[in-house]
Amino acid sequence: MRPIRATVDLAALRANLGVIRMRAPGAKIWAVSKANAYGHGLARLAPALAGADGLALLEIEAAIALREQGNTQPVLMLEGFFGAAELESFSHHRIASVVHHEEQLRMLRAARLEHPLAVFLKFNSGMNRLGFDATGMRRALDALRGGRNVASVSLMTHFADADGAPGIVDALERFERATDGMNLPATLANSAALLRYPRTHRDWVRPGIALYGCSPFANETAAAIGLRPVMTLRSRLIAVREIAPGERVGYGGMYTAQRAMRVGVVACGYADGYPRHAPGTAERGTPVQVAGKRTRTVGRVSMDMLIVDLGAIPEAGVGSEVVLWGEGLSADEVAAAAGTVSYELLCALAPRVPVDLIDSGR
Ligand SMILES: *Cc1c(COP(=O)(O)O)cnc(C)c1O
């Protein structure tokens, strides 16, 4: 069998949930588990996600599958319903919905539902993606209040800059001004906001990336926050060769050997979810761990393989273990080298990679 495998560790997820509870002690937790729990497999993680107060996702099929498996946790759909027909499923399965647009208000008003919905009314605090402006919020609240299809209304916003220098001050002020006097429960904070700005905690926090053990910040590592990687992607060397000075490596010869060197071929490529744009030039490689030691990629990532420098790891040979990301090498670091974010790496884990579910705490 091709040696690439991912492990997903339930104990790490439980531990991260514990860190989040400690950092946001008064708030309930929506475990953000969209995109198949950031690539980890929603069904797989369900036993550990049961420790959250609810699940936030945005694919209705995933929410219905949870219900059909007997899950009774609160579920919140972050983009709400996309059509009138879907509303019936929300109601039938008691799924809470974000409402961010006039069109949704219209559909909600027109529907005849089995059970009224818990609604999270979304404010646009400056991202300019989803949500009502201040006037729209007042009007939407008036429309929702007393509506036969509305069981409750909570308030929501999503910050554009919780992880960066601009921060959330302006966005939070806008939210507070727009919702002044409404006196409703609220959910504002993603991972970055909940870790950095305790005043955003309110009633519910919405961590995603922190749950999976990565850092939402460019300048603070997951380990420093106390988070453990849930997913580890491992493979092995399937070939080793010596190359002469001046020889090039991989498609297009992106890397040229400066001296005689030893390289290893790893059974992992972009069809496994490894980023093809990860650099492997003479100046800049992407970190990778071989036989427990850190080294770097050389040459372009191909569909099924990538190549690593074994110069400092003479003990490595065919069969040596390689960690692409996870335990021992943070996905954040690999992502930064590749000019992306860990979210993208985790979500991109390809279906062809077998996943072993483990529980290191048991
Ligand atoms: C994805 C998402 C989150 C989680 O964000 P992280 O940065 O992963 O913590 C929270 N809220 C909304 C609306 C989202 O779409």
Side-chain angles (χ1 to χ4, degrees), residues 65-294:
L66 282 169
R67 289 290 185 254
E68 284 171 350
Q69 289 147 21
N71 187 307
T72 57
Q73 282 173 287
V75 169
L76 171 64
M77 302 300 279
L78 292 169
E79 292 177 349
F81 42 91
F82 303 98
E86 237 178 66
L87 252 176
E88 316 243 330
S89 297
F90 275 66
S91 165
H92 179 72
H93 294 288
R94 299 191 183 263
I95 293 166
S97 181
V98 166
V99 166
H100 61 79
H101 199 276
E102 298 284 346
E103 202 51 47
Q104 290 176 319
L105 288 174
R106 247 189 302 279
M107 288 188 260
L108 192 53
R109 204 158 35 231
R112 287 223 149 265
L113 299 178
E114 196 179 335
H115 314 286
L117 251 55
V119 169
F120 284 70
L121 184 58
K122 182 163 187 175
F123 175 63
N124 168 26
S125 56
M127 174 96 85
N128 288 309
R129 205 174 54 177
L130 300 185
F132 293 95
D133 64 14
T135 320
M137 285 293 278
R138 306 253 162 216
R139 253 194 245 129
L141 185 58
D142 286 341
L144 289 169
R145 273 200 167 129
R148 62 167 181 235
N149 293 323
V150 180
S152 64
V153 182
S154 305
L155 305 172
M156 178 201 179
T157 196
H158 188 52
F159 296 119
D161 277 313
D163 56 327
I168 52 108
V169 176
D170 175 62
L172 185 59
E173 251 172 43
R174 290 185 192 201
F175 175 82
E176 280 169 351
R177 228 176 303 129
T179 60
D180 186 41
M182 287 184 182
N183 274 322
L184 293 169
T187 174
L188 315 184
N190 59 2
S191 299
L194 88 86
L195 293 169
R196 191 158 277 176
Y197 305 102
R199 65 186 183 283
T200 65
H201 290 172
R202 304 297 175 96
D203 300 87
W204 290 84
V205 292
R206 302 190 309 272
I209 198 68
L211 267 182
Y212 305 103
C214 290
S215 171
F217 308 118
N219 58 3
E220 190 176 6
T221 65
I225 303 167
L227 301 171
R228 291 171 47 190
V230 176
M231 178 195 297
T232 299
L233 180 62
R234 292 187 184 82
S235 189
R236 293 186 184 277
L237 296 183
I238 58 170
V240 165
R241 71 179 59 251
E242 307 280 346
I243 56 176
E247 280 296 306
R248 303 190 308 159
V249 175
Y251 283 121
M254 180 196 247
Y255 182 88
T256 305
Q258 310 297 295
R259 52 195 151 70
M261 67 187 292
R262 203 162 158 264
V263 298
V265 180
V266 183
C268 176
Y270 62 78
D272 300 299
Y274 197 90
R276 181 176 178 277
H277 48 272
T281 62
E283 296 74 36
R284 233 152 60 77
T286 304
V288 59
Q289 184 182 288
V290 179
K293 289 194 181 149
R294 175 170 297 228

